[in-house]
Amino acid sequence: MSEFEPKIVAFVCNWCTYAGADLTGTSRIKYSSNVRIIRFPCTGRIDYMLLTKAFASGADGIIVSGCHPNDCHYTSGNFHARRRWMVFRRLCDFMGIDTRRIIFSWVSAAEGAKWAQIVNSANEEFKKLGPYENYHKLSTQEIFE
Amino acid sequence: MARIGVFICHCGENISATVDCSKVAQVAATFPGVVHSVDYKYMCSDPGQTLVGNAIKEHNLTGVVVSACSPRMHEPTFRRACAEAGLNPYQCEMANLREHCSWVHERNEKTDDKAIDLVRMLVEKVKRNNSLQPIKVPVTKTALVIGGGVAGIQAALDIANAGHKVIMVEREPSIGGHMSQLSETFPTLDCSQCILTPRMVEVAQNPNIKLYTYAEIESVEGFVGNFTVKIRKKAKSIDESKCNGCGLCTTKCPNKKNPNEFELGMAKRPAIYVPFPQAVPNIPVIDKTQCTYYKTGKCKICEKVCQANAIQFDQQDEIIEVPVGAIAICTGFDIKKADFFPEYGYGKHKDIIDGLQFERLASASGPTAGEIRRPSDGQIPKKIVFVACAGSRDPAKGIEYCSKICCMYTAKHAILYKHKVHDGTAYIFYMDIRAAGKNYDEFTRRAIEEDDAKYIRGRVSKIYERDGKLIVVGADTLMGAQTVEIEADMVVLATAGVANQGAEKLAQILHVSYDQHKFFSEAHPKLKPVETNTAGIYLAGACQSPKDIPESVAAASGVAGKISCLFSNSELTREPLIAVVDRTAPPQYSSCTGCFMCQSVCPYNAIEREEINDRNGNLVKQLAFINPGLCQGCGTCVAVCKSKSIDIEGYTNLQMYSEVDALLNF
Amino acid sequence: MKLGFYPGCSLEGASREYNESVMAIAEEMGIELVSIPDWNCCGATAAHNLDKELSLSLPARNLALAEEAGLTVLVVPCAACYSRFCATQHELMHDENLHKKINGIIEKEYKGNLRILNVIQFIDEFIIDKLDDKMKFEFNKKVACYYGCLLVRPNKVLDFDRTEDPQTMDVVMKKLGADSIDWAYKTECCGAGFSVSFTETVGRLSGQIVEDAEHRGAEAMIVACPMCHSNLDMRRPEINKYNKKKSDMPVIYITQAIGLALGIDRNKLGLQRHFVPVKLKDFKPYTKKTEVENPQKMEVE
Amino acid sequence: MSDSHNHLVDNSLSGKIKQNTGVSLSRCYQCGKCSAGCPVSSDMDFPPSLLIRKLQTGLPEHEEEVLRSKSIWYCLTCEMCISRCPMEVDIPPMMDYLRSESLRLKKANPAAKNIIRFHKAFLDSIEQTGRLYEMGLIVDYKARALNLTQDVALAPSMFAKGKLKIMPELIKNRKNIKQIFQKTINKKQK
Ligand SMILES: Cc1cc2nc3c(=O)[nH]c(=O)nc-3n(C[C@H](O)[C@H](O)[C@H](O)COP(=O)(O)OP(=O)(O)OC[C@H]3O[C@@H](n4cnc5c(N)ncnc54)[C@H](O)[C@@H]3O)c2cc1C
Ligand SMILES: Cc1cc2nc3c(=O)[nH]c(=O)nc-3n(C[C@H](O)[C@H](O)[C@H](O)COP(=O)(O)OP(=O)(O)OC[C@H]3O[C@@H](n4cnc5c(N)ncnc54)[C@H](O)[C@@H]3O)c2cc1C
Ligand code: SF4
Ligand code: SF4
Ligand code: SF4
Ligand code: SF4
Ligand code: SF4
Ligand code: SF4
Ligand code: SF4
Ligand code: SF4
């Protein structure tokens, strides 16, 4: 069997990271193809229950990425995202979700190369962790809906 | 039932060289709800767009997914094409097969799989898109300018000259702000009053401008295009319609020993006064805290001498309510006073003054008629020390920023001093000379080279008085940090520029944000420097951060431009991608529980409280209400709402969950 | 009333008169000062110059002993000891690991419940309000209140008076009827512990202080620290040498000044022990109450 | 979302100061206010701000100069510098650290001999008795400093005024004090 390829879902904001990933494209910088980007207006919009949903849909790892701390297009959405993540992380621990499988980063619209590097290193990271079978099993019981 | 059309673009070879476009189109055709799926060389070309339009009509499509480049590039193009074909433009989505796929991956099966996934995700999303209509808001074409310094004056005149109405509200009895107190101005040394006074008069005379002085903002409600403002016009004790500005009252008032604010305490004024001779309007006010009549019930001499019968002791504050479409904040700044400095004696020594006091001493209309004289004994100082960065760049004192204007005005002061006291010597303790501006460095060089200002690089540790001299103890860091002691006759502190008193309160009334130093915050430091985060409210001048006159004026014209743009249509059109709170039938009205978590996170104060009352007027329920004029569509509220009562158009919960769900078998 | 008391080495030795005067006025006011049992030297400058942990352990032992003895308020007249105690308290309370470590070294546990007062705080809290009833004389002299370094700095640790131009001592002196002058060297360093090792430096630093006070017409200098006192008093020959003029302006402890106003015997206050003779006389009998405002308390710093 | 950068351990003297005392010398922007207010800067070979500057460069020859300087020994710990420093660079703990490093590396400036002798005599007195025995201290210090004449005039009059005790005051639990010395300074030096 070929090497394990983790399935990665990326939740990104429209203004910084989505645009940054566009720049990766315009600059023709290659990165691994096992990532699916979902566009949000702002990381502040990201409802963390969506992350559990993504794991339930088969993701092995998640990247959440938005604007750098003071660059939020909406000034403070990313702060709220960060604050809520602190709370959610504890919930994850409680629910038995492996928080190593959720990677946060800041990628600005100018950081095309950084986006490629983030995806690649996340890929390596998640490869080490292996398939998230525990959760896939867990989720079949549909505890989150 | 959804009828979705999928259009896969080759982008010449940009996509098709890496992604097997026809295969993707074929697979997409099998997705539930997809009734039409094709691939084409250039979707954005005219024939490409026609292809989409025709398919919409032919297949009666309810949604379209163009799988091509980044939506940041062509989303508007395809939405317009859909609209032309009769489909609601918000029923069109784009899958990013170029920037996020073909350009970043190798040609192989996995890349094709990814392309298919991306299309599937957007198909699932678009099935759940709502048809939306752009939001239209009416605009009241009157601008409110708060603060009548040089920034406010410039903004008001520009807006008025563009043909719009302006209401200007100034807290003091006269407009003019700090610039009216300055002697001459860097970097050209032109007389401040000579250039400002004509502009002040223009404000008073412009038929489009209504000026309220001695007035403050009481409250502001509404949103962009539709604010309602209450102005408190404080009682001047003068009937402005009768007063002809003869000034007799002020000369006859026997109560003359009150500290003169305009001269920063270096002169006296009567209880009834005009702040300075060129004041606009040239109408006196009675200082109720000082006037003998208000204090003891006796005097009224002003009333007796006034031939116009303009004195009105029983005048009350007046509240005026006006509708405005836009607001310009131009409330300026202030500077720290000498008593802020423990190591310089807490303002104990009269001859340690601040920069503004020096401006008054140097001003021909000032208390010494332009001669530089010590406040303590009126002597001409032969040795004068200027201390730059006094209080600025001093985190220990709570001010870490550079006040930006003081390097320049200190150089100016040294020049003016030398012009007035030829045999005098000026020393300047400084850390860096910050003179970045057109002709600015040339100006500070002139102070050094032509007017012999002696710059010493180091901070002053202590100033104390001994035998009528001020001993200034500093270091010269260019000489190995040696201690330098100067016996000075006078010391001028270039104190930090700080936010104007009351800025915080005003910010709260206006619901705009301010920084930790209480300066108003711009919406974006680079790209929206004169906007606030609240649509329709702008800022200019030194209320944002210390600024000099050219910058204040430039920002003010910027604001005027922004407001004129806003006023160029009678209606505002905005993208409908905003938050909404769900509404259901009574008795529930909404699933919103009224926790107002959403309100606390909204960066734009767009969330209001809506009260639902029964027929008897009793409160039944409080729930969140999104002001469509203010919401910018960030979605933060959606993520925090525990009862999922808020949703955001374009990124609804249903849409986002479906996108994630579509990954199920990837 | 009983309060904890740490005399420190100087008050037991070269600065006996300070101890004597503190005791004398406390007695007059009905306050009992109880020394910490078996106290040790706080380590002064030497310890923290050479070893940080030693410099924290020596005061910590005293603090722990005081706590063991059930004391809650500790009066520390020596400004140097006061400063070491406050610094130790501050460091231990802000660093848990260090606190544990020091507890281990001294083999005692200090919990941190003591309020440490310098002599001026002690006067401000327990004595000043009672002065009106007990004062017999007015201290009708022009005085220069000298605070030195350790009473006011570093202010993040001490939280006492304002660092520049402090006022508490001036307020006490005004209350006693003195004219306390505004001068430039209130908080300049006198040379502190360098009295023996760098005598010349001390002569210069103390010299400038004496010169400025005298130049502005002070008849006496008021101090609240044994080191300041010994530098300004005992080192007067070096001071005079530096200033190239003879000064016989006496230096007295604030407690001695209060004692004089209360009419306590001069020898009981230890005035005879000074090197520069204290010739001040002709104190007016005290008659009227003086209301003194503290400018520091009116301002927000 | 971690925003901390991982720096490698900084082995420069200023890096060690930061690790041991928490004082960051990179905050100093060389305004010189500390030097202007320092009562002994004229006695120092490098006024405090210059001392910091030398450490900011991180160059070994500058660090050497600092450890061998007179300045670190002249500092009176009067706290004037920190109370006026706009950047709140806490110089006195830095001085404490530099002194102990200078001693440890045997680089103390000859001019500091007397101070070190005095401090050591002082601490010896405490170690022996628990308190300071001034008479003993002066005798001990004079013997160490071989400067028997200075201050001899002072001692008799101090006696006369009752300011010097002939016998040391001994505290009871001297063992406790000895232990404290054992666990701190003696562990590192002797
Ligand atoms: C000592 C000194 C010298 C200077 N020299 C020069 C120079 O030579 N050249 C140069 O270019 N710049 C100079 N400046 C800078 C210059 O003063 C400012 O750039 C300019 O005044 C800023 O204008 P402004 O309108 O933003 O603010 P301001 O001049 O401060 O005007 C603000 C106005 O708003 C009013 N206001 C405040 N709060 C309210 C409220 N809540 N409601 C209603 N009204 C309110 C105030 O009363 C005031 O009239 C100098 C500044 C100082 C301190
Ligand atoms: C190395 C460097 C780093 C910088 N870093 C920053 C930074 O970090 N932050 C920051 O705020 N600023 C930075 N700047 C400054 C910033 O680049 C400028 O403020 C900004 O680019 C100015 O924009 P502009 O539109 O006025 O001029 P430009 O960017 O120069 O644009 C002028 C345009 O006009 C065109 N043009 C010129 N002449 C004609 C003509 N006759 N007819 C038609 N078109 C013409 C030019 O081709 C060009 O496209 C930096 C500048 C430099 C040099
Ligand atoms: S729509 Fe986009 S991807 Fe297609 S041809 Fe045009 S630019 Fe290229
Ligand atoms: S109030 Fe009367 S006297 Fe005073 S300026 Fe007006 S008109 Fe003249
Ligand atoms: S009534 Fe008041 S303002 Fe009028 S003259 Fe008398 S003191 Fe002046
Ligand atoms: S402008 Fe100059 S004087 Fe003012 S704070 Fe900045 S550097 Fe200092
Ligand atoms: S967070 Fe949700 S439930 Fe709470 S007030 Fe806002 S909309 Fe209502
Ligand atoms: S979407 Fe953003 S701007 Fe709009 S109401 Fe919600 S939080 Fe406020
Ligand atoms: S005062 Fe502070 S910032 Fe200024 S030179 Fe000294 S240490 Fe550096
Ligand atoms: S603590 Fe030391 S360096 Fe700082 S001012 Fe005092 S003597 Fe100078």
Side-chain angles (χ1 to χ4, degrees), chain A residues 24-46:
Chain A
T24 321
T26 331
S27 326
R28 313 293 203 276
I29 302 169
K30 301 278 186 268
Y31 56 86
S32 52
S33 59
N34 47 341
V35 60
R36 308 288 183 261
I37 295 175
I38 301 184
R39 179 162 72 132
F40 287 80
C42 174
T43 47
R45 164 67 184 90
I46 299 170

Side-chain angles (χ1 to χ4, degrees), chain B residues 257-268:
Chain B
K257 291 263 157 67
N258 308 296
N260 184 327
E261 295 87 351
F262 186 78
E263 303 294 357
L264 300 143
M266 296 187 300
K268 305 280 183 222

Side-chain angles (χ1 to χ4, degrees), chain C residues 2-6 32-36 66 71-76:
Chain C
K2 267 191 197 177
L3 299 175
F5 185 62
Y6 178 82
E32 192 187 335
L33 295 173
V34 188
S35 289
I36 303 176
L71 302 169
T72 51
V73 174
L74 187 66
V75 179
V76 186

Side-chain angles (χ1 to χ4, degrees), chain B residues 346 348 462 465-467, chain C residues 165 184 188 211-212 215-216:
Chain B
Y346 291 105
K348 248 184 335 207
K462 178 174 176 173
E465 181 269 343
R466 189 168 149 134
D467 299 338
Chain C
D165 195 17
E188 294 291 328
E211 202 279 332
D212 192 59
H215 180 81
R216 291 171 200 257

Side-chain angles (χ1 to χ4, degrees), chain B residues 601-620:
Chain B
V601 299
C602 174
Y604 302 95
N605 291 300
I607 303 183
E608 294 162 9
R609 274 168 203 259
E610 184 180 0
E611 296 189 343
I612 294 179
N613 296 315
D614 64 15
R615 234 173 276 158
N616 304 325
N618 299 322
L619 183 66
V620 179

